Amino acid sequence: MASLNYLSLLQNSLRSLRIQREACISLTNTSIYRFKSTLSSDQRDLIANGPSLDDFVSGNAPSTPEELKRKKRQRLPLPNWLRTEVPKGKNFHRLKEDLRRLKLHTVCEEARCPNIGECWGGGEHQTATATIMVLGDQCTRGCRFCSVKTSKAPPPPDPNEPVNTAAAIASWGLDYVVLTSVDRDDMPDGGAEHFAETVRQIKKRNSSILVECLTPDFRGDLKGVETVALSGLDVYAHNIETVQELQWLVRDPRANYKQSLSVLEHAKTVKSDLVTKSSIMLGMGETDSQVLQALKDLQSSGVECVTLGQYMQPTKWHLKVKEYVTPEKFKFWETVGNKMGFLYTASGPLVRSSYKAGEFFLKTVLRERQGKTAADNVQ
Amino acid sequence: MATMKCLTRAGLLVSRGRLLSTLCCRNIGKTYPKTTSHIFSQNLFKNLQKFNSRQFQPSLSLSTDTSSQKPTKKKPRTVKVTFVDRDGDEITVDAKIGDTLLEVAKEYDVDLEGACEGTLSCSTCHLIVDKNWYEKIPDFLTEEEQDMLDLAFGLTDTSRLGCQIVVSDAIDGIRLKVPTETRDIRNL
């Protein structure tokens, strides 16, 4: 008898839970949160029945020659296409002075980017640009590919940083700017509010500037993702860094593949006209099918822009390069990305997430999209 | 002790002099195009040496043998340490006493990373110690190290961080494994 009573109790509680859940769903169906996938059935069919690696390969995919693969106990020399000029020039030094004066950090310096001379120096047709790193220069995570300083307890972020960053960017007169940050697992919101405030300050000073943010994953806290996504930025970027099979080796254990994909999905859910972007490093020992699968996963998560670059060992304390992928192979991945239907696939040995991010193409796309949303709003 | 101090200070001065002369030589071509840097450096170094020898009279009471100018360098004591790397290859090395295992791995090109450079802020130098050696490590497992280890991929009961274990005689012959991919329940 007692057991029968217990069983009925259990059934009742399950029933009530089910009713509650259904009530929740019906209540929230009208809100911006959705429990179902945002892809249409046609899109899902396309991805499921779409091209596989064989369609692209057919025996013609370039492979890395043996001399560009690292063998045990041997040093793998840097190929000539990765050798860059020593940074110098008026723009370079002026930018450096500006940054030091305002106590700003850049990922360009902290992560030892090889393109620093080119981006900071500006070209004939481009203005000098830098990717400012907010929330300080000390990260709470230690990933094996990144040379940004790692600390268990970094100092609290500078409260003037959003204003200083916005002032610096306004003084440089840029029309496309990229912001990024370190991981701050020691802060309750992961630094999301500080990041969002920086974006708001930039937009306040210049509402026509296009802002791209390369964000952390906020430890999976989607509220943080939402805070940044709704701060007024135009491109939401978050990197998966490598293929799923190498996440354990390359990234800090607090970061993972599914978490990163959920960040990208959520940003798109919260603001559907956001352009989402992600990035992969090659040369860490991944296979072609793994990279293709990663690209497919990104596409399923609604990501529109992808960048692929060569991993380069920043210091002796970090992962060694497994192979130097040839420029031809990078071109191959660019073709694959374009065929898969990404809005923009930037692929090259020196390409990084924010390298030439403000290219004419992207700017055109964004302005077009903004024009469309404005037209919709008017109607 | 005092004599050792004198000797090292003299050595420093001479090396500083050498550095100074090299630095000067780099720019000399620009200001004095007719001077050859080679002659200039020789003269500069000779003058510096004279200056140094006048200022310092190190008492070489260490050895009465005045023919040997340089003190003999003591070879550092080493112990055997075996690493099993991610491919399963075993590498036995002579680890210097006083180095951390992370430094030893770097010296012998073992694939072990140290993203935070040994400041106990990450878990990239995670090593799995052989069961019979785990208890013999004299470096006590602090709470800070345990906190960082808790995050590590592939954690075992005999895991330690390589930057926290200092090489000593007590761990002569130790075997360590660099963790590699296993089926982790977190399914990263």
Side-chain angles (χ1 to χ4, degrees):
Chain A
M1 276 312 285
S3 60
L4 269 171
N5 275 340
Y6 180 68
L7 198 65
S8 59
L9 258 173
L10 206 62
Q11 281 179 332
N12 280 336
S13 59
L14 278 172
R15 204 175 299 144
S16 62
L17 272 172
R18 198 174 52 237
I19 293 168
Q20 275 180 4
R21 184 173 166 269
E22 280 162 19
C24 268
I25 291 174
S26 63
L27 272 174
T28 54
N29 253 343
T30 50
S31 76
I32 53 165
Y33 297 101
R34 276 166 265 184
F35 286 94
K36 292 187 195 163
S37 156
T38 51
L39 294 170
S40 72
S41 55
D42 287 336
Q43 280 176 308
R44 272 183 275 153
D45 279 335
L46 190 66
I47 290 168
N49 305 323
S52 70
L53 186 63
D54 300 324
D55 294 313
F56 298 113
V57 175
S58 65
N60 286 337
S63 61
T64 310
E66 284 308 304
E67 59 265 21
L68 290 171
K69 290 191 189 167
R70 186 170 72 91
K71 292 171 199 57
K72 273 275 167 75
R73 310 268 115 301
Q74 273 181 358
R75 196 182 76 85
L76 188 60
L78 198 69
N80 52 3
W81 59 79
L82 284 171
R83 290 180 200 274
T84 51
E85 296 261 321
V86 171
K88 54 182 183 250
K90 215 166 44 182
N91 273 337
F92 180 80
H93 292 288
R94 186 179 67 93
L95 212 68
K96 209 163 190 157
E97 273 169 27
D98 279 348
L99 292 165
R100 288 301 86 86
R101 186 172 39 91
L102 294 162
K103 297 197 202 39
L104 296 173
H105 304 106
T106 56
V107 70
C108 321
E109 294 165 302
E110 298 299 325
R112 294 160 208 253
C113 183
N115 300 317
I116 192 171
E118 191 187 332
C119 295
W120 287 27
E124 311 167 12
H125 310 290
Q126 334 156 247
T127 32
T129 182
T131 300
I132 295 195
M133 192 164 72
V134 297
L135 292 165
D137 65 340
Q138 292 176 35
C139 186
T140 48
R141 298 190 193 174
C143 298
R144 288 193 173 93
F145 66 90
C146 181
S147 69
V148 173
K149 290 192 268 286
T150 300
S151 162
K152 215 163 29 186
D158 181 7
N160 298 325
E161 198 176 47
V163 173
N164 286 348
T165 313
I169 289 168
S171 77
W172 295 338
L174 300 170
D175 49 6
Y176 192 104
V177 72
V178 185
L179 288 180
T180 187
S181 81
V182 290
D183 274 304
R184 290 300 296 250
D185 297 317
D186 58 327
M187 291 173 70
D189 68 344
E193 185 49 44
H194 184 109
F195 206 142
E197 182 58 28
T198 314
V199 177
R200 277 181 233 124
Q201 288 291 332
I202 294 173
K203 287 282 184 176
K204 198 166 85 169
R205 278 171 178 67
N206 179 1
S207 57
S208 65
I209 197 172
L210 295 170
V211 179
E212 176 181 317
C213 290
L214 177 59
T215 72
D217 57 17
F218 303 113
R219 206 71 200 269
D221 175 19
L222 297 179
K223 191 83 188 63
V225 175
E226 194 183 322
T227 311
V228 177
L230 295 176
S231 63
L233 49 71
D234 305 285
V235 180
Y236 193 104
H238 177 66
N239 295 347
I240 55 168
E241 308 298 0
T242 183
V243 300
Q244 186 170 18
E245 290 76 1
L246 291 177
Q247 296 273 320
W248 66 274
L249 175 67
V250 168
R251 297 173 87 186
D252 187 277
R254 282 163 281 192
N256 67 66
Y257 194 70
K258 287 204 170 61
Q259 193 168 267
S260 291
L261 287 178
S262 75
V263 164
L264 291 162
E265 273 171 31
H266 193 73
K268 202 80 181 155
T269 312
V270 156
K271 191 164 184 253
S272 54
D273 65 348
L274 261 184
V275 175
T276 46
K277 184 176 182 183
S278 192
S279 196
I280 311 180
M281 288 180 288
L282 299 181
M284 300 171 119
E286 65 289 319
T287 64
D288 285 354
S289 54
Q290 289 170 348
V291 178
L292 186 69
Q293 184 56 50
L295 290 174
K296 280 188 180 164
D297 291 336
L298 283 176
Q299 201 176 35
S300 312
S301 305
V303 172
E304 287 147 304
C305 303
V306 161
T307 73
L308 296 116
Q310 168 71 50
Y311 165 64
M312 290 167 77
Q313 184 181 11
T315 73
K316 68 175 184 178
W317 300 106
H318 295 87
L319 269 177
K320 295 198 181 77
V321 178
K322 238 349 192 334
E323 67 178 281
Y324 283 113
V325 179
T326 57
E328 291 78 35
K329 192 62 181 281
F330 276 107
K331 210 81 192 113
F332 164 75
W333 286 120
E334 190 179 329
T335 336
V336 169
N338 287 332
K339 267 199 197 149
M340 284 175 80
F342 283 109
L343 209 60
Y344 179 74
T345 313
S347 171
L350 286 168
V351 168
R352 299 289 181 262
S353 177
S354 49
Y355 179 67
K356 293 191 178 161
E359 285 224 333
F360 180 74
F361 177 79
L362 206 61
K363 272 193 250 176
T364 328
V365 168
L366 281 171
R367 295 224 188 278
E368 200 187 317
R369 208 172 269 198
Q370 279 168 356
K372 230 196 307 182
T373 8
D376 287 337
N377 287 344
V378 163
Q379 286 170 357
Chain B
M1 266 304 283
T3 48
M4 283 299 286
K5 235 184 176 174
C6 275
L7 281 169
T8 44
R9 275 160 82 186
L12 262 172
L13 264 178
V14 170
S15 59
R16 217 166 40 196
R18 230 177 248 145
L19 179 69
L20 205 67
S21 64
T22 351
L23 281 171
C24 286
C25 290
R26 289 224 185 100
N27 295 314
I28 202 66
K30 293 181 197 160
T31 35
Y32 303 104
K34 291 207 179 135
T35 327
T36 52
S37 53
H38 172 67
I39 297 167
F40 180 86
S41 71
Q42 269 188 334
N43 286 335
L44 184 61
F45 187 52
K46 258 190 251 170
N47 288 332
L48 276 166
Q49 262 190 329
K50 279 191 207 151
F51 173 79
N52 288 344
S53 56
R54 252 182 271 140
Q55 299 284 46
F56 265 92
Q57 304 291 333
S59 51
L60 291 159
S61 58
L62 256 182
S63 62
T64 48
D65 182 17
T66 47
S67 60
S68 64
Q69 289 294 314
K70 294 182 210 154
T72 44
K73 241 186 180 173
K74 260 178 36 186
K75 211 176 160 200
R77 282 189 47 236
T78 61
V79 295
K80 294 276 178 206
V81 171
T82 307
F83 288 101
V84 179
D85 75 3
R86 291 192 183 111
D87 300 323
D89 297 326
E90 283 194 24
I91 307 156
T92 307
V93 302
D94 292 316
K96 276 203 283 282
I97 291 191
D99 278 352
T100 63
L101 285 179
L102 178 62
E103 286 164 358
V104 173
K106 277 295 130 211
E107 194 183 330
Y108 289 99
D109 204 27
V110 174
D111 287 347
L112 187 67
E113 293 76 36
C116 72
E117 299 177 28
T119 56
L120 258 191
S121 311
C122 72
S123 58
T124 51
C125 64
H126 172 212
L127 286 168
I128 300 172
V129 185
D130 228 35
K131 284 190 200 47
N132 11 352
W133 283 100
Y134 185 69
E135 298 296 325
K136 296 185 188 162
I137 297 172
D139 301 279
F140 177 65
L141 180 65
T142 60
E143 257 203 64
E144 286 86 21
E145 189 182 338
Q146 188 61 66
D147 284 340
M148 286 300 125
L149 269 174
D150 283 337
L151 303 163
F153 185 89
L155 186 65
T156 66
D157 292 330
T158 56
S159 287
R160 288 299 298 268
L161 290 181
C163 62
Q164 297 303 300
I165 302 176
V166 178
V167 175
S168 62
D169 286 311
I171 58 167
D172 187 358
I174 192 170
R175 265 180 72 93
L176 306 135
K177 183 163 149 15
V178 181
T180 184
E181 189 192 18
T182 47
R183 285 260 155 256
D184 193 271
I185 202 162
R186 281 173 299 177
N187 192 25
L188 297 175

